[in-house]
Amino acid sequence: MSLFEGLLDAVSGAESGFIALAFVMPLENLNKLHAGAPEGTTLLQVAQGIYNRGGLKNFWRAWGPVASVVVTEKFGMFFFYSFLLSIYQRVLGGSAGFWPNLAIGYAADLFRLPFTYPVELTAVAVQASAPGTSMGSIARSAISKKGLAGLYAGWTSYFGFAVRPAIQQTIYDQLKARVLPGGGELAFATAFGFGAIGRFFAMMIAYPCEAGSSVSVYVYVCPCLASSPLARALSLCP
């Protein structure tokens, strides 16, 4: 795989992630807020709290910052995945099996962090702040308090987060290799189905790691989520 092909994969991944966000953002917000809510809180309670604070549009709160996260995250993940996979193929030859594919996916998600983590941290902080707060103001505040290191606070949580995309990508690639052993492109419906299967099993396997990591990131940017009552947690930080 050439560098140009890797860039095409990265752009394609970023584009598909942006489009998918419009449909999955309400579920992503529910998942993240539920992970950071007090113990015993149900998804229905979290959903009701979101709705009570701004109606249906509140499920898409902070669309712009979240979209910037998705685009940079997907681009970085696919770029480094393609780059590391090409190195593997040049050195060892042939296609990567299940375990090498999993290791490459995990490493790719970690390799992108120096470039994409500040975007994600500031976007999460915007979601956990009063309406009107910008990513720029969050970044300036973090830098003024801790320097550039402030933009990477809590980054170790990604040792848990990186498990899911690695598993998802591996399952997708293994299914694609079985259907198209000689290479080629999948039909849209098939690719969508394989992606959904990969995401489902990745969530089932990696959820314990991801739930703990979600709490770690949210407690850093919004300490009120760690111990406050549900009403304050769902109102996000003042």
Side-chain angles (χ1 to χ4, degrees), residues 32-33 35-38 53 61 117 120-130 138 145 153-154 213-238:
K32 288 183 177 181
L33 284 175
R53 287 189 55 79
R61 183 175 184 268
Y117 187 79
E120 181 157 0
L121 184 70
T122 52
V124 170
V126 167
Q127 289 180 285
S129 301
I138 294 291
K145 292 176 181 177
S213 300
S214 294
V215 172
S216 174
V217 173
Y218 268 76
V219 166
Y220 170 74
V221 299
C222 187
C224 70
L225 289 178
S227 58
S228 62
L230 175 62
R232 185 179 175 198
L234 289 181
S235 70
L236 305 178
C237 290

Side-chain angles (χ1 to χ4, degrees), residues 8 12 28 62 87 89 93 108 115 118 137 172 174 200 205 222:
L8 286 180
S12 177
E28 293 284 353
I87 293 177
Q89 292 172 334
F115 310 98
S137 64
Y172 176 87
Q174 295 299 303
F200 173 78
I205 297 169
C222 187

